[in-house]
Amino acid sequence: MSKFYTEISKYYDYIFPTGKAQLQLIKKIVGEAPKNILDVACGSGGYAKSLNDSGHQVTAIDLDQEMVQALKARDTGIDARVLNMLDIEVLNKTFDLIFCIGNSVVHLNNNEEIYEFLKSCKNSLKENGHLLIQIVNYDRVLAQDVKQLPTIKNEDVPLVFERYYDYWPEQHKINFRTILRVNENVLENSVLLHPIKSTEFVGLLEELGFQDIQLYGSFNQEAYDPMVSFPLIMVAKK
């Protein structure tokens, strides 16, 4: 895990606060508690804690040890672990819902790794269990050569989080550069992302036998528009 993510862990909730629309959709999909839920790339665990508080049995994984330790201290009722998303089958559990939001899946290297992740998810879901994935809409990013995502500001800290995209066609990668400004401190980082398109993602889900695949352009379940929507949200059933 990049040192950058460890350094920003103390600011994570200010940059990415737990969203009401995200929680509402997660709860709508999974149904009445108690259900077994896996939060993949959980960050500081805001969603995991809210779901655990609602009576669900929550497992949460992330690569950043600082964030996982903070979540364990925050809520001992959550099974929080440092684990790669490609290794979820070592948990030896089955879930009613697996979700991975926050554009985390595209940190995998290619479609083959994403396929392996989705395969592990399917193997770890109960019959009729659901998978929820959210990434940036790379249909729009690639077609319109998007160079920057909206800057995140939080005046309470205060902080500014700038996000820049630079597409490298030869490698089919996006160089994702971030600048976090907190008072007089500046933290910079860059990481390569794999910009998978919606048709490719749906194709992988279909190849694995997922059913009832739904695409949304927001967590409020607005229709997905490849050239307009900011996120791509996918819900599929085993």
Side-chain angles (χ1 to χ4, degrees):
M1 170 57 64
S2 166
K3 181 182 177 183
F4 172 79
Y5 289 99
T6 299
E7 290 177 334
I8 72 167
S9 61
K10 65 176 72 75
Y11 307 114
Y12 191 89
D13 288 335
Y14 297 107
I15 303 170
F16 304 111
T18 305
K20 291 183 180 179
Q22 288 90 325
L23 268 177
Q24 287 174 352
L25 181 57
I26 291 168
K27 291 179 178 180
K28 179 179 180 180
I29 294 168
V30 77
E32 293 294 323
K35 296 290 176 59
N36 292 300
I37 300 174
L38 174 61
D39 181 354
V40 177
C42 63
S44 60
Y47 294 102
K49 176 160 178 54
S50 293
L51 292 165
N52 185 67
D53 289 346
S54 297
H56 295 290
Q57 302 296 317
V58 182
T59 302
I61 65 170
D62 199 279
L63 276 178
D64 187 84
Q65 187 170 1
E66 293 289 332
M67 291 193 186
V68 171
Q69 290 299 327
L71 177 55
K72 285 182 176 181
R74 186 178 185 182
D75 194 326
T76 57
I78 296 170
D79 183 6
R81 307 193 197 184
V82 178
L83 191 68
N84 191 303
M85 67 172 65
L86 293 173
D87 297 327
I88 62 175
E89 287 186 77
V90 306
L91 294 168
N92 196 29
K93 294 182 178 183
T94 55
F95 302 95
D96 298 286
L97 171 67
I98 297 173
F99 72 92
C100 182
I101 61 178
N103 204 42
S104 299
V105 172
V106 296
H107 285 77
L108 297 175
N109 289 317
N110 48 46
N111 283 11
E112 289 73 25
E113 284 196 356
I114 293 176
Y115 177 91
E116 290 303 317
F117 166 65
L118 296 176
K119 181 180 178 181
S120 294
C121 289
K122 189 164 188 280
N123 291 339
S124 300
L125 282 171
K126 298 179 181 180
E127 286 303 316
N128 297 315
H130 285 85
L131 176 65
L132 167 63
I133 303 285
Q134 177 258 316
I135 61 174
V136 167
N137 169 18
Y138 289 102
D139 295 335
R140 184 181 73 91
V141 168
L142 295 175
Q144 300 177 16
D145 193 23
V146 173
K147 295 294 188 184
Q148 183 175 2
L149 303 186
T151 296
I152 297 171
K153 298 182 179 180
N154 190 317
E155 301 297 340
D156 294 333
V157 181
L159 65 76
V160 176
F161 190 54
E162 302 171 13
R163 302 177 289 173
Y164 300 97
Y165 270 9
D166 183 16
Y167 178 57
W168 296 353
E170 296 81 7
Q171 296 96 326
H172 187 53
K173 293 289 184 182
I174 286 176
N175 184 34
F176 177 39
R177 295 187 301 110
T178 56
I179 304 173
L180 175 63
R181 307 179 192 276
V182 183
N183 295 318
E184 297 180 357
N185 298 319
V186 179
L187 298 173
E188 298 188 40
N189 187 60
S190 65
V191 63
L192 295 181
L193 305 179
H194 176 62
I196 183 171
K197 294 183 178 181
S198 60
T199 53
E200 295 176 284
F201 217 122
V202 170
L204 296 179
L205 291 167
E206 290 177 338
E207 185 177 347
L208 285 163
F210 280 95
Q211 303 174 25
D212 193 22
I213 301 168
Q214 304 292 324
L215 305 186
Y216 302 112
S218 77
F219 282 100
N220 292 319
Q221 295 181 276
E222 296 172 346
Y224 174 68
D225 186 326
M227 292 300 107
V228 176
S229 300
F230 177 78
L232 166 62
I233 296 155
M234 292 161 285
V235 179
K237 184 174 75 172
K238 178 175 178 178

